[in-house]
Structures are given as C-alpha cells and as structure tokens.
Amino acid sequence: MSPSYTFRHPLLVRRESASLTMKFLAPLIALGVAVLFNLALYVAIGRDPVAVFYALLIEPFLSWASFSEVLLKASPLMLIAQGLAIGFRAKVFNIGAEGQFILGAIFASAIPIWFPAATGQWIWPAMLVLGALGGACWASITAFWRVRFNANEILVSLMLSLVAMQVLNYLLVGPWKDPEGFNFPQSVMFQYDALVPTLIPGTRVNVSLLITLVLSLVAWLLMQRSFQGYKLQVGGLAPRAAGYAGFSESRAIWLALLIAGGAAGLAGAAEVAGPLGQLQRSISTGYGYAAIIVAYLGGLHPIGIIFSALLMAALYIGGDNAMVSAGLPIAAVRVFLGSVLLSYLISLAFVRYRLDWASR
Amino acid sequence: MSSPLLSLRGISKSYGQVHANQGIDLDVAPQSIHAILGENGAGKSTLMKLIYGVERPDAGDIMWQGQPVHLSSPAEARRQGIGMVFQHFSLFETLTVIENISLVVPGRKSELVDRMRLLGKDFGLEVDPFAHVHSLSVGERQRVEVIRCLMTNPKLLILDEPTSVLPPQSIENLFDTLRWLRDSGVSVLFISHKLEEIRSICDRATILRAGRVTGNAVPREHDAHDLARMMIGRDMPHTSPAVAMPTGEKRLQLMGLTWQPDDPFAMPLSNVNLTVRAGEIAGIAGISGNGQSELTTLISGETVLPASQAKQINMMGEVAGHLGAAERRRLGFAFVPEDRIGRGAVPEMSLTRNSMLTAHPLGLLRRCMVDMHAAEEFTARCIRTFDVRTSGPGSEAGSLSGGNLQKFIVGREIMLSPKLLLLAQPTWGVDVGAAAAIRQRLMALRNEGMAIIVISEEIEELFELADFIQVLRGGTLSEPLVTAGTRPEEIGRYMIGAEARPAGAVA
C-alpha cells in the first residue's frame, strides 16, 4: 500500500536445522571481529596496534619457552572448562569452579604439609586424587541445597567461592603457615615427590597436561556417545521431556556438579603440585571464572574447549607481553576477552538463525 | 462474485528441499467462510503463515482488497486487518492472560478486562484474565488466542483448527459467532480436519495436497467421504470394529486418587476411580483444564505420590503411586503426552536421538553407550511403519509438522509393545487420514490385548474407540458410561456440568 513497505530490511529467520558450517565458523568470526574491534581501541588510546597485536597473539607462539607457558596455563583452564561444560549443557550453572579449584588445592596440600618427610612416587598421584575429592566435596554442598530446597546453584556456588578463599586465608595465616616463612601467608615448599613430574625437559609443562587431554577425551565420550551424557543433554534442552522419559533431575544435578567440582579440584591440585610447589594465597588467577568463558567459547563441546583453552592461555601470556612491550593497560586484556565472548555469543545466533533480506 | 478480499497468485515457499507451497492460487471473497483442507504437511500452516506475515513467499503475489501488499510481519498483517489463531500457541507463558492480550490490543487494562469478559460470555470462551498462561491447559490457551484475535476487530480471521478443544455445545456457539462475524463483514479462513464441520459452516473450500491446490469445492455439495478422498487422494481407512474381548486382567486401577497440587492454578483431583483391563480402551472425555494434565502426570509418574498414598495407583497388579516415570515404564507402561514439542520430543535433537528418549531399552544401548546404528535402524522402522513424512532419521524433531511428529511419537510408544498405553489428545492437530490410521492401530492393539487409555476432547473419537467413557470435570471423574448405550450429547452434558439439568436447558 504505502511505498515505505518496499524498504528492504533484514529479518532474523529461524533455520530449518542448525547450520553445521556456522557452528564451526562462529568462533573464528567472533575472534576476527573482536580483533578488529580491539585494534581500533588500541589506536584510540594511542598505542601502536600492530605491536600490540604482535605481542598479544603472535609472540606467545613464537618461542618454545613462551609456548610451553601457554600449555602450562591452558591445562587447568581446559580441565575446569570440560567439567563446567558438562553441567552447562545440562543447564546446571555452576559458577563456583574458583572455589572448587581452591578446595582441590587445599586437599592436595594436606599430604605434603602434614607429612613433609614422606617420600615415594605415590605422593603426587594421591594428591591429585585428594584434590579432585576436595573439589567434588565443595560442589556437593551446592548440589545438596539445589536438590533439597531448590536453592539457585549460581548464587550458592558463587558465594561458596568467597568462603573457599577465606578458608584458604585462614589456613595460610594460621595452622598451615610456613614457620620459617618470614610470616608470609604461604605453606612450606613441598618435597620433591609431591611434585608432578615434568613432561617436557627444560619447561614447566608437567604430566597433568596429559591427564587433562585424556580427561577431555573421556568428556567427549561421555557427552557425545554415552547414554548418561544423552540424559544430561535432554535435561538441559527440554526438562519436561526428561521428566516424561523418567530421567531423574536430581541425579543430573548431582552428577553435573560432582564432575565439574572434581575437575576443578584436580586442576587446583595440579597447580600446587606443579608450577607453584606450595600452597599460597595467589594459587588461582581467576581460572575458575575464565574457564566459564573457555567453556562457552569452545561451544560447550569437548574438542572445541581444547582450542578455546589454548586461545585463552595464549591471551594470558600475550597480555603480559603486551603490558611490558607495548605499554598496554591491564584492563585492555580483559576488554579483549570480554569482546571475544560477546561477539561469539552474537555469532552463535546465526547457527540457528539466518538473515533474510526481503526477497522481493 | 464481487472482487475478492484476499487473493493469492502463484505463491511458492520452500524450506530447503521441501516445497511446502507451489504455485498456490486462492481467492477469499468478502463475507465468506472459506475452508482450507489438506493432510499433514500439505502446506496449510505454511500458507497461513505467509498470509499472516510470519514468513515471506519465495515467489508469487498477495493482493489485499485489490492492492498488492508485502506482509513483512504479523504486526503489519494486523494493521491491514488480518488476525490469526495459531495451532501452536503464540502466548508468553510467564505473563497473565490480560498481559498477553494488552501486548497486541491497545487500550487500558481495565477496559480490556471488561471487553474480554464480555466476549468470553458471548462466545462461551471464559478464561480468568489474571491467570498466568503457563498454568492454563491447552484448551484454555486456545480460548485466550481466539478472544485476543477477536479483540483486534479483524477483516479476515484465520482459524487453525479452532474447534478441536471445544465441547459440542460450544462448537455450535462458536459457529454462531463465526456466522455473525461473516454477516457483519468479516471473512474467515477456516482450517479443520473435521469434515462435517466444514460442510456445516464453510461457503467455499480449497483443497491442498503436497503443497499444491488440487481443487476448489462448495463443501455443502459434497459428502464428507468425497472431501476426504479429494484431500488424501485415496479412500479413507476404516477403523476395524471392536472384537468382544474376554475380561482381561486389571492393568491400571485408580482407587480414590486424591491429589492436591502445589501450583495454585492447577486442578486438584478428588476421589478418582478408574479401572482399565487388558483388551479394553478407556476413554476420558472432558475439556482441558478440568484435571486432564494432572491426571496424566499422576498416571505417567511425572508426578509421584507420597508413600502414604502409593496404594491409590495400581499398575500391572503392583502398587505404583510412589514409583517414578522410569520405573512405571519398566512395568510395561508407555505414554503419548499432549505436548509433543519439549515433552514428547526434544525439538533440537534428531529423530534418532528422540527415539532413545523412551525406546532405549530396545537394544539401542551397548554397555551404557549409545548404539547409533541400532537407534537409526529403529527410527527408520518407526518412520516407515507409521508413515512419518520426513527426510529421514537425521532430521530434527522440530522441523516436522505437528501431525507428523505426533505420528512419530505414537509410533515410538507403540513399538515399545507396552501392556498399558496412555494417550493424551492423540489426534490433536492430526489430519483425518493420519488420525484414522492411528485409531485403526489402537483398535488392533486393543484386540491383541493391550490396555489403552485415551484422554481426548473429541467426543466422536472416543465414541469410535472406547469401550467405556468417563468424563473428567472439575477434578472429579464420572462413573463409567458404556459407549454402546450412550449418546454423544449425554457426554457433552457431563462435560459442561449440566448432567442434572433437563436437556433443553443447556446453553
């Protein structure tokens, strides 16, 4: 009728089925868009964008020394994200991996702190197992309140992370403080057998990276091939269908939280038994929260998470580089991470939807 | 004939490989009630979406009151005077009824409430304006949709199977409304699978088959059998007659089932008694919202009774009230729920993965791992046996038309060879051909000794299938009425709670 209706404006139209191409392209497109956006930002704050880009994304991969540090950082991120992704796909939103990570570190540290003279190659594996147990125990508090009283797991798990931090503080200024540590809030240095063996000589990369990769494979089997993984996914996609089929919701919540807690706890144990060698206040630089981004960037898929963890770890290392060599403020790295996640979530919409430019 | 209100020329729409509409021509005259007839997947819903601006055609022209129009959105269609009541509802579940209405209809809320109550009274479409939509049954939601549409004063009203949730008495009322609307200048596009209805109310009919127009007819000049043949291109299957069965064992017994739900909007059940034996079909009649969904979840085990009440439900001879859904399925129970999407099937998953939802005990697992090969084989067999129109086991459940998804779910549950099968609204939104096939299947299974419960709002369906009918109203279940000795009108009176009054007093 009126001519204004001939104006062509695009519509978001639902696809018949999810686009596989877009599923693979979405993270790449997101990364590209975020890089461009941030380069513009660096220009705006008067930094040389090429130098920043080089320091941030290229340099971490250039030398074996810096790449091994990337691997070192990628391992805990990957492990935690694998656990979280299983829960996220079941719509169990465990935001408290940070706390589960800390409890894992505390549980693992108990052995070398209580038995500093013990020797034998059983010590570090026992520490890893104890760490996973510690993380799972901490997550089970959240699971219990959620199942018993329907308490929101996002809030409970998040707040428990703050509690975990205080438990760590108490131990480090109290019973577990190194008596010869000049009053620093840290434990004794662990004995040799309490350290995970190095994997690549000359670097700090240790056997826990292998464990992480094996567990990533297990996560893939669980989520893509097993019936239990299928049940978790049904619970996440269509809770009423899960109820209809008789898949227990409480069981799914317990399972999701125990797996995620166990993985985070294992990562925490591997940190104190790996590069750190002691329990200290700064055991986690926000791994538990960064892993949430890693999980989503990896499309909640075990294989995708391997790559997104490497990317995230590279950005950590590259961010440090860029701060030193290109004078980038520390906030710029966080802005970069934030914009990667945001553009990824936007491009995810195009997996199920497409733009329809009015055909006539 | 005067110039048409709406005319379509050469309308085509494809979704990937599927040609939903091909070269459709359609003229809707002013002041007419026009039927669109067709089987599942014939392209009726797609055509309506094109007219209502939900989708855009790939080719062809739409003329509205003699002018070409581009209907780019439902809001645009509504501005032009086109209103639609969907088969799958477009209501926000977290909002109240009146909030949903005020999203579409301008005006102050208090005025809207008054108008809504008035319309509801006139057309027998009463709904509490302040109830939250998520607490309403399927039937009540449709009532909200119809009212909301009428409140926008449309020139063309599209109704996608509007009568499937109404008792017979109210259908006549709705038809009176539609005739009155027509006489006051509104045209109606009417989609229904109930051929008798189309014959009684529609002035013209356009028949679709496989995305093409296969004919135009004046429905009054043909009998229902003719129309059905035009629609499905062959003769209708007949339901084989019930064979008199020796009294079988009791497969389900509800003994004084009483349930007080936590949800304040749900219907409490009081003292429900029901016995279903092997080789018997029990029909539960009644309008949705009278306790149907509560009774369904209590039988299926989606709602579990406290241990103290466990004895109120007995399944295959075992006390079952305290058992969960999975345990009841292990006793030999299977179930087709009234909502297909999100309950009977996961829309984002392929049909193969949807098979595993309930059919996993049929050898689809190997040591806790999914045997994709076996699952695909099962799915392909289900698609073949139950004539599910789809591109294959790999297609997403959400991409199937409502009726085809229903065929898949019914097929999956029947293939479990259950001892007790519960179906809620089994043919809701399913076309005559497929509905007849489903009924035929159920009758055959009954004759083989399965115990079947059908919960339905369609009285004709219950009369065709059930050995006895019990009416659920206000959370109580009537005594069983043996189908052979009962007339539909009597059931209808139970449904609206007028059984005590003389027949003439029913509004």
Side-chain angles (χ1 to χ4, degrees), chain B residues 168-170 173 489 492-494 496-507:
Chain B
Q169 286 85 347
S170 308
N173 286 351
E489 289 72 21
R493 276 200 293 282
Y494 272 100
I496 56 174
E499 70 272 22
R501 280 189 274 163
V506 175

Side-chain angles (χ1 to χ4, degrees), chain B residues 279-296:
Chain B
E280 213 171 49
I281 298 184
I284 309 288
I287 308 161
S288 287
N290 277 291
Q292 274 78 1
S293 53
E294 291 78 10
L295 180 65
T296 314

